[in-house]
Amino acid sequence: MRPPNLRRLLRSVASLAAVALLPLLGAHPVSAAPAAAGLQQVTGFGSNPGNLQMFAYTPDGVPAGAPLVVALHGCTQSANAYHANSGWARYADLWGFDVVFPQTTAANNALSCFGWFDPADSTRGRGEAASVVQMVEYAKKTYGSDARRVYVTGLSAGGGMTADLLAAYPDVFAGGSVASGLPAQCATSQAAASGCQTGPQKLSPSQWGDKVRASYPGWTGPWPRVAIWQGTSDYTVYPANATALRDQWTDVWGIGQTPSRTETLPGSTTRSVYEDASGQPAVETYSVAGMGHGLPVDPGTGAGQCGATAAYFLDTICSTYYTGLFWGLDGDTPGGGDGLPAPAGLKVTGVTDTGASLAWNAVGGAASYTVYRDGVKVTTTATTSFTDSGLTAGTSYRWTVAAAGPDGAAGAVSAAVTATTSGGTAPARCFTATNYAHVTAGRAHTSGGHAYANGSNQDMGLYNVFVTHTLRESPTGHFVIADSGCQAGSS
């Protein structure tokens, strides 16, 4: 066995290869600043075999029995950055749950990446994975977190570790969300890590699924519900990884790779839903057209907006909001409820530019029905139809319905339906930034040391932080150089 200090040195040097495609120019080192407001460091959570740090965000008034979310940062990031920019704190306040932000440091990895590629850290009972599970156990004992509703999410290397945790601990995590990440056990050595990033092995769905099943032999389910987020212009962790993740988790669930339905969401995002045998979403993929490497966020005050833009936090769509809905953190847990069964047959029967009409099947014993739009109650009705009005043109909305008995006790919430109102034209948008920043944000790509605008493929010059251009986006995902002036609806 190598002396511990030599092993750590070799691991830190080799980790540079594991993120060879991460642009080091402009990479942000982990801040040594104190935790952000509301974020508290927790010590003494366990034996901590993976040498991680634990930070927690626990909103006031969250009762015992609430869900728990574990959120893993990407390379060169920190718990502070993920807390401040990802949007998880906002929905923890709004929907009432606790969040744990594990943090690794340069002491573990030269670029502060979680060790998704190292079996000493990514497998059951070992290293960083075991430390994360100790944090979950601490939260259950200290905050009273509901053991049935523990979820894990992560970006990039944190996404790779998320997949590994879901595979190794399906008895701990009810669901996961992998953003710009890697399939579970894609790489089992540091030398193989960069190959996974550029294009994982060409395995069949059953071979990918076997990697999950081998992570906890003998486990037969239930399996976690998995959301997969990926930008189509990600040249750090290539989109082929999202396909492999989909193949892996649909195979584990025993369902096909053809989506049950496909929907259009804001931010040029396509959601594909893969339902289990009961008709509930088991796996969902979110493909963000033109987005580069990072976590999708959508700064703003709307119900479905969240986060702040920063390095690897990209202004497209609030992935945290849609992930939270998928997991049922807003109260719409699939199959949940202690009263009447969920209404079946919920559908959108028509849309206008300002409204949408809904209908569903009656539930025996129901005295009324509650309709939710994007997780927020909009009405209670005694009938099995409703027309929602006052909506914004050209905007996607999500509805669910629950039945209630004469005593007002609500039953299970239906499967969701999504529709987009008619009309509405997104204004052109203008972005002024360095060529490096344009590529990072997914507005441009690189070839031969130059940056090229996505869509128009115009040559923007050298790929670095010294050349600056203004790009105009119209239509979505198509960028042209507009240095001489750019008329747009926003900038």
Side-chain angles (χ1 to χ4, degrees), residues 38 57 78 155 207 234 292 313 315 322-323 352 391 423-424 444 446 458:
Y57 181 71
S78 66
L155 166 65
Q207 288 172 318
D234 188 340
F313 294 95
D315 187 357
Y322 287 96
T323 295
T352 66
L391 307 180
T446 61
Q458 289 177 303

Side-chain angles (χ1 to χ4, degrees), residues 49-140:
N51 190 36
L52 299 182
Q53 297 171 347
M54 175 180 177
F55 293 83
Y57 181 71
T58 55
D60 293 338
V62 174
L68 175 70
V69 172
V70 177
L72 301 167
H73 63 77
C75 295
T76 77
Q77 292 182 327
S78 66
N80 273 359
Y82 219 70
H83 167 266
N85 300 313
S86 67
W88 280 110
R90 179 186 181 188
Y91 290 104
D93 291 337
L94 182 64
W95 291 337
F97 57 87
D98 298 306
V99 189
V100 165
F101 295 90
Q103 179 171 287
T104 189
T105 67
N108 277 13
N109 178 280
L111 294 175
S112 298
C113 305
F114 287 102
W116 60 272
F117 47 82
D118 187 346
D121 278 320
S122 64
T123 53
R124 188 176 178 92
R126 303 183 69 187
E128 293 178 353
S131 290
V132 171
V133 172
Q134 287 182 354
M135 296 178 197
V136 171
E137 293 304 314
Y138 177 93
K140 289 193 292 188

Side-chain angles (χ1 to χ4, degrees), residues 171-460:
D171 53 333
V172 174
F173 299 104
S177 180
V178 180
S180 300
L182 300 303
Q185 297 302 315
C186 181
T188 55
S189 71
Q190 293 161 335
S194 60
C196 281
Q197 291 178 223
T198 56
Q201 307 166 60
K202 299 201 179 335
L203 303 180
S204 67
S206 62
Q207 288 172 318
W208 281 119
D210 286 344
K211 289 179 176 289
V212 172
R213 288 181 282 269
S215 297
Y216 187 17
W219 179 261
T220 58
W223 294 103
R225 298 180 184 272
V226 182
I228 301 158
W229 291 86
Q230 180 71 47
T232 63
S233 297
D234 188 340
Y235 302 111
T236 300
V237 175
Y238 278 39
N241 286 282
T243 301
L245 277 160
R246 179 208 62 187
D247 290 353
Q248 184 171 66
W249 290 100
T250 52
D251 181 76
V252 165
W253 273 87
I255 55 182
Q257 285 73 54
T258 300
S260 306
R261 63 181 185 275
T262 300
E263 303 158 346
T264 300
L265 299 180
S268 302
T269 302
T270 299
R271 172 169 55 190
S272 299
V273 181
Y274 302 80
E275 295 178 346
D276 63 15
S278 68
Q280 297 294 343
V283 177
E284 293 189 349
T285 62
Y286 298 79
S287 178
V288 187
M291 189 184 79
H293 186 66
L295 182 74
V297 297
D298 183 17
T301 59
Q305 292 183 289
C306 74
T309 55
Y312 310 114
F313 294 95
L314 308 181
D315 187 357
T316 50
I317 181 175
C318 176
S319 57
T320 295
Y321 170 72
Y322 287 96
T323 295
L325 294 180
F326 172 56
W327 290 340
L329 295 180
D330 63 332
D332 296 354
T333 307
D338 298 323
L340 297 168
L346 176 63
K347 60 184 177 181
V348 176
T349 58
V351 296
T352 66
D353 57 350
T354 59
S357 297
L358 311 170
W360 56 92
N361 298 339
V363 173
S368 63
Y369 301 90
T370 301
V371 179
Y372 301 88
R373 182 206 313 134
D374 293 336
V376 178
K377 176 181 175 181
V378 292
T379 193
T380 297
T381 177
T383 67
T384 57
S385 62
F386 171 66
T387 297
D388 201 357
S389 59
L391 307 180
T392 302
T395 303
S396 179
Y397 295 93
R398 171 187 181 272
W399 291 272
T400 53
V401 179
D407 60 355
V413 178
S414 71
V417 294
T418 304
T420 301
T421 51
S422 57
T425 301
R429 298 194 297 171
C430 296
F431 306 86
T432 301
T434 67
N435 281 355
Y436 169 76
H438 281 308
V439 171
T440 300
R443 297 186 287 267
H445 59 278
T446 61
S447 178
H450 278 222
Y452 294 85
N454 287 344
S456 69
N457 209 39
Q458 289 177 303
D459 189 346
M460 299 162 57

